[in-house]
Amino acid sequence: MPRRTKSQHFLLTAAARTLSLATVLRLSDTEAETVFAAIRWPETTGRPVCPACDCDAVYDCRRPSGAPRWRCKRCRKDFSLTSGTLFAFHKLALRMYLAAVVIFVNEVKGKGARPLSRDLGVQYKTAFVLAHKIREAMAAESRGVVIGGSGKAAEIDGAYFGGHVRPENRKAERKDRRLAISSAATTRSSARRNASRQRRASSPVAK
């Protein structure tokens, strides 16, 4: 997998364009671990680095259940693929997390928790928490970034929006405009009848 610089986000690299949903769903557990490690530690091309002391002198101490674990030779601490990240203490398979990331970032207008839960076959609460974790991870990458770049200024235009405050529709002050319309119609009808009577009374034929 090609290496990237620290300033470039993984989703902007050529490696991200090859990570499709069909590819993720066809991954085995070992292949999913390899892809996750390459995304987690891009500077070492997927070689584990201790999150406690940043030491790359680690050795494999996989659990009897098959869960991937490494032990640091410097601080003697155990860590996993998700230690020190938002996905720590995860209960879903790594393949599911990779699929959720691919589904979430490929949506043009974002992905809601309910359709995400249907796509992954998990509960709504699980998809809701997972979507927020993905959003938080994406926001952490751009935290502290200056608009326009380092040493540059960004100019924006000011504008005023709104200004009209709609008055409250209180029931005590509410006017039934239907009654006003019917009253006006009745008044116009009475005026027409009176005018018609006056014309008939003043007509020479009537005399």
Side-chain angles (χ1 to χ4, degrees), residues 51-103:
C53 61
D54 294 332
C55 177
D56 58 353
V58 300
Y59 60 92
D60 192 0
C61 59
R62 190 175 292 268
R63 295 291 184 264
S65 60
R69 291 291 187 278
W70 293 272
R71 182 167 296 168
C72 179
K73 293 183 179 181
R74 179 188 296 177
C75 63
R76 309 297 298 176
K77 291 183 178 179
D78 294 353
F79 63 95
S80 66
L81 280 171
T82 58
S83 296
T85 67
L86 295 172
F87 301 108
F89 308 104
H90 65 91
K91 296 182 180 180
L92 296 177
L94 292 177
R95 191 188 307 106
M96 298 292 289
Y97 286 97
L98 290 174
V101 171
V102 172
I103 292 173

Side-chain angles (χ1 to χ4, degrees), residues 121-142:
V122 297
Q123 292 184 357
Y124 170 77
K125 294 181 180 179
T126 304
F128 180 85
V129 175
L130 182 56
H132 275 283
K133 286 185 176 182
I134 296 174
R135 293 188 185 100
E136 187 175 351
M138 296 176 66
E141 290 285 338
S142 60

Side-chain angles (χ1 to χ4, degrees), residues 2-5 8-18:
R3 299 183 64 179
R4 66 182 177 92
T5 59
Q8 189 179 18
H9 196 278
F10 171 76
L11 299 177
L12 300 178
T13 61
R17 293 192 293 271
T18 61

